Amino acid sequence: MDDYDLVIVGGGIGGSALAAVMAGAGRSVLLLEQSETYQDRVRGEWIAPWGVDEVKRVGLYDLLLGAGGHHLTRHVTYDEHLDPAVADAAPTPLGLFRAGVPGPLCIGHPHHCQTLFDAAGAAGAETLRGVRVTEAIGGESPQVTFELGDRTRTVSARLVIGADGRTSQVRETAGIVLHQDTPHHWFAGLLVEGVDEWPDDLQAIGTEGDFGFLAFPQGGGRVRVYGGYALDEAKRFKGPDGPRRFLDAFAMQCSPGNRHIAAGRPAGPLFSYINADAWTDAPLAPGVVLVGDAAGWNDPIIGLGLSITYRDVRIVSDILKAGDDWSETAFAPYAEERAERMRRLRFAAQLQSALDMEFGPDAAARRRSYYERGAVDPTLKMHGFAVMAGPEAAPPETFTEAHRARVLGA
């Protein structure tokens, strides 16, 4: 077949999830994925409670649970100014943010992608791997040209979906401008095995000295860990012994359990990247709609890439299933909602970065003040509530300069 309702460029989580939903709704779908095998990209394994709600709404929750997804139910924040015994004694229950959701959902990224790609095929989508897209044209008569093996093929569609990630070819061809803010810090990630002593249901973050960490257990003694450090330390974990030095950085007095992480073994690559936000004014053009990172992404410090993507999939699929009007006008509500969603999450990420991933005496004093004042004024923590419950769940004043000044003590 050379004529489809939807041609989806990118078979990662956003593209495959949308293909599964729309093929299941009876639409003809072609899903194109460049890679032959999904690789560990050191991100995309944690879905916030509001994102889990989106997974449920598109009907993929049972699929992910059956594929090995598991929930985290407790959270602890550690800091050099906090007594670890006190922190351990009062973990935050993660089931309080969304009704019927016990907490964030974790599932390994390559396995997550493959599960959704297979589900798309099972639902009736035509799924192709090892594809090189050479042209993606929107407008009144959208077309995609791609190479597969020694064959070149051009197909037409009512709509082209760009789900091809941060360097989206579809976005560039459609002339959709990507805005990016100033990088804030370095962020490195690694999958660690042999960490059986770390509870499978406990996530944690903390800052001590010149390093901030996050830990998300994946089950079976594996923990995905992240570490943040200053922009002027680009070479801090480079070289063949970089993974070992990275794990050594987790040995912190403020979080005694980190000794189990430090004693673990690398189970995948160590990747470092600069943390920053990127966004589009409107993730669409005639004949083209973007989802996931192709439409812009949030600073990974708050870990919302998958939650953002699943909401994109839910809103776009709802519009597609609602009728035959697939014009730019029909997708305007998606563009409006996403712009405000990303604005709020950008604000929350900036606050979290200033608190957790800035170092030195002034930053340490700011964190100490925040924890002391937050103990008597919980409204100072509303940006964190937005991360877990959803950006729309926090009052609008949470995302103002007045709130920023209150949180940071300005």
Side-chain angles (χ1 to χ4, degrees):
M1 185 165 63
D2 293 315
D3 187 18
Y4 300 84
D5 291 320
L6 296 168
V7 174
I8 301 176
V9 180
I13 288 171
S16 293
L18 185 60
V21 172
M22 293 311 301
R27 298 293 187 173
S28 58
V29 179
L30 175 63
L31 177 63
L32 304 174
E33 167 57 22
Q34 182 177 22
S35 70
E36 296 280 4
T37 304
Y38 294 111
Q39 302 295 320
D40 181 359
R41 303 295 184 187
V42 190
R43 57 174 175 259
E45 296 180 330
W46 182 90
I47 309 175
W50 66 273
V52 177
D53 240 2
E54 301 293 352
V55 174
K56 289 186 174 185
R57 293 179 68 176
V58 297
L60 296 172
Y61 178 71
D62 290 340
L63 175 72
L64 297 190
L65 278 188
H70 79 282
H71 284 283
L72 307 180
T73 61
R74 298 179 295 147
H75 170 90
V76 175
T77 294
Y78 297 99
D79 188 82
E80 57 198 335
H81 302 300
L82 301 176
D83 183 339
V86 174
D88 285 334
T92 300
L94 296 177
L96 58 81
F97 295 102
R98 284 273 176 156
V101 178
L105 184 69
C106 286
I107 181 171
H109 189 267
H111 181 52
H112 191 170
C113 290
Q114 188 65 56
T115 297
L116 292 175
F117 189 86
D118 292 344
E126 182 180 348
T127 58
L128 300 177
R129 301 289 295 268
V131 171
R132 189 175 78 88
V133 173
T134 57
E135 190 172 44
I137 302 173
E140 294 184 2
S141 302
Q143 290 186 336
V144 175
T145 300
F146 60 91
E147 298 175 354
L148 181 60
D150 58 359
R151 181 186 177 194
T152 298
R153 183 178 167 193
T154 297
V155 298
S156 61
R158 290 188 59 197
L159 189 68
V160 173
I161 301 292
D164 48 343
R166 297 188 176 191
T167 58
S168 173
Q169 178 183 359
V170 175
R171 182 185 66 232
E172 182 176 353
T173 303
I176 300 171
V177 177
L178 182 74
H179 307 283
Q180 292 184 265
D181 68 2
T182 303
H184 186 271
H185 59 275
W186 283 100
F187 209 46
L190 179 70
L191 183 63
V192 188
E193 63 184 4
V195 197
D196 302 282
E197 295 85 354
W198 188 281
D200 274 350
D201 69 331
L202 177 67
Q203 67 176 42
I205 65 173
T207 306
E208 183 175 292
D210 61 355
F211 191 72
F213 85 92
L214 300 89
F216 304 105
Q218 302 294 307
R222 290 189 164 200
V223 181
R224 174 67 73 183
V225 295
Y226 298 96
Y229 50 103
L231 278 178
D232 60 1
E233 293 188 305
K235 298 182 179 180
R236 182 169 179 176
F237 300 115
K238 299 295 184 182
D241 63 339
R244 183 67 265 160
R245 288 185 283 110
F246 180 67
L247 289 181
D248 288 343
F250 281 77
M252 296 181 174
Q253 293 182 352
C254 73
S255 179
N258 278 22
R259 68 184 185 277
H260 303 303
I261 294 173
R265 302 181 301 275
L270 171 67
F271 286 162
S272 300
Y273 43 93
I274 292 175
N275 265 27
D277 283 87
W279 64 96
T280 53
D281 294 327
L284 50 90
V288 172
V289 172
L290 306 178
V291 299
D293 283 356
W297 58 90
N298 188 219
D299 185 332
I301 182 64
I302 53 177
L304 293 180
L306 293 185
S307 302
I308 291 167
T309 296
Y310 272 111
R311 179 166 290 182
D312 291 351
V313 170
R314 192 264 299 171
I315 295 176
V316 169
S317 63
D318 282 351
I319 294 170
L320 292 171
K321 291 187 290 184
D324 290 329
D325 181 4
W326 291 3
S327 65
E328 283 186 275
T329 301
F331 287 98
Y334 166 57
E336 293 168 4
E337 187 279 339
R338 197 181 204 273
E340 177 61 12
R341 184 194 343 156
M342 299 304 284
R343 183 192 73 83
R344 291 186 175 207
L345 294 180
R346 189 158 60 248
F347 189 94
Q350 289 169 354
L351 279 182
Q352 206 64 53
S353 291
L355 289 169
D356 294 340
M357 298 297 165
E358 291 187 6
F359 312 103
D362 290 344
R366 182 168 60 241
R367 284 198 313 278
R368 182 169 191 163
S369 172
Y370 169 73
Y371 290 128
E372 291 174 348
R373 290 179 295 116
V376 296
D377 183 3
T379 65
L380 294 176
K381 303 177 182 179
M382 286 305 296
H383 62 282
F385 183 80
V387 171
M388 301 298 288
E392 71 286 347
E397 58 267 25
T398 302
F399 310 98
T400 63
E401 290 306 313
H403 181 73
R404 189 198 306 272
R406 290 179 63 234
V407 170
L408 300 181

